[in-house]
Amino acid sequence: MAIMRVNPTRMELTRLKKRLQVARRGHKLLKDKLDELMKQFLDLVRKNKELREKVEEMLMKVHQDFLIARAVMSSEGLEAALMLPKQNISLDVSTKNIMSVEVPVLNFTTSSSDESDIYPYGFASTSGELDGAILTLSKVLPYMLELAQMEKSSQLLAQEIEKTRRRVNALEYVMIPQLTETIKYISMKLDENERGNITRLMKVKDMMLEQAHNYEARSNGA
């Protein structure tokens, strides 16, 4: 791991130690966030799978009923029955926060509270299979919106997981080791400088003692 290009001073050493402390704390927080994101994501994926199977099963029934209705009714009669819907739906889109990720929340309201308004036709000239298809479609709509909400939430969480994982890896495998190696390098340089200073001081002391000894010797000889 390459060390950072810094001046090997005590001030720089103190600054890098503080950065290392912050990096380690940030790494722990991001790791905890990543674990919680993964937990939320896996829970969403499991629920999404169950809901998708349910929606596909209901839509398959709708398809089968429509096929039978088309077989027993004329094309003109089927088109006329479905031409003018009586029920209108309004979709409300909001968001909620999951681990700092804004995920969508989908809700819908109908223009009428009368459940029979889902049928835009009279029952005299239509088949029971068409009634069943319309009823199943009405029931599957909330599940389809919930499924769309879950799939978009899963996508957003997956993006946040990838982003958080990159940050965790950058801290764990790049920044923290680089700071650690740089701190070690600066500490070694400072220790070397300290030993060099001590060695020089000892040499100066020896020279001063030698000069003092020679001075005393000359004075005694005089």
Side-chain angles (χ1 to χ4, degrees):
M1 176 61 65
I3 64 172
M4 303 169 69
R5 300 181 64 180
V6 294
N7 294 324
T9 62
R10 293 196 178 277
M11 183 178 297
E12 192 66 35
L13 180 63
T14 302
R15 188 181 70 84
L16 290 178
K17 284 182 177 179
K18 289 180 180 179
R19 281 188 63 187
L20 179 60
Q21 186 178 5
V22 171
R24 283 174 173 164
R25 186 164 60 246
H27 175 266
K28 183 182 182 305
L29 292 174
L30 285 173
K31 193 72 167 61
D32 292 342
K33 178 183 178 180
L34 181 61
D35 292 341
E36 184 60 28
L37 280 170
M38 285 298 301
K39 179 181 176 183
Q40 296 278 354
F41 176 74
L42 292 175
D43 188 46
L44 263 180
V45 168
R46 178 181 58 79
K47 292 179 180 178
N48 183 83
K49 180 177 180 295
E50 295 173 357
L51 188 57
R52 173 171 284 278
E53 290 174 352
K54 182 175 184 177
V55 168
E56 288 178 349
E57 182 181 350
M58 294 178 74
L59 289 178
M60 183 63 69
K61 183 179 183 307
V62 170
H63 181 65
Q64 291 172 351
D65 286 343
F66 264 124
L67 285 178
I68 297 174
R70 188 174 181 180
V72 299
M73 294 176 61
S74 66
S75 299
E76 294 79 6
L78 185 61
E79 290 178 7
L82 301 176
M83 187 177 297
L84 299 173
K86 295 170 63 178
Q87 187 73 276
N88 293 320
I89 293 177
S90 299
L91 181 64
D92 178 60
V93 181
S94 58
T95 59
K96 67 178 180 179
N97 189 292
I98 299 179
M99 299 299 296
S100 302
V101 181
E102 294 292 328
V103 300
V105 177
L106 305 178
N107 293 297
F108 75 96
T109 55
T110 56
S111 58
S112 171
S113 59
D114 189 351
E115 294 183 358
S116 64
D117 282 345
I118 63 173
Y119 304 105
Y121 50 79
F123 297 108
S125 59
T126 57
S127 69
E129 287 78 15
L130 181 60
D131 300 342
I134 297 295
L135 179 60
T136 306
L137 273 177
S138 175
K139 290 180 178 179
V140 79
L141 177 60
Y143 297 122
M144 291 178 68
L145 288 177
E146 186 179 358
L147 181 61
Q149 175 181 313
M150 280 188 180
E151 291 193 343
K152 186 61 179 178
S153 299
S154 299
Q155 179 186 355
L156 293 172
L157 284 178
Q159 292 173 356
E160 186 67 20
I161 286 171
E162 184 60 29
K163 188 190 304 180
T164 305
R165 181 182 286 117
R166 286 199 299 267
R167 291 175 178 172
V168 169
N169 289 341
L171 285 170
E172 184 173 349
Y173 299 110
V174 180
M175 180 170 285
I176 291 177
Q178 194 174 51
L179 285 170
T180 303
E181 288 298 316
T182 305
I183 289 171
K184 182 179 178 181
Y185 164 75
I186 293 178
S187 298
M188 289 175 60
K189 292 293 290 185
L190 291 175
D191 289 344
E192 288 178 8
N193 293 339
E194 189 70 22
R195 287 193 295 270
N197 289 335
I198 292 174
T199 301
R200 285 191 293 272
L201 288 173
M202 290 178 65
K203 286 183 178 180
V204 171
K205 180 180 178 182
D206 290 342
M207 291 173 62
M208 293 177 66
L209 288 174
E210 185 178 354
Q211 289 178 358
H213 179 72
N214 292 336
Y215 177 78
E216 289 178 1
R218 287 197 300 271
S219 296
N220 292 333

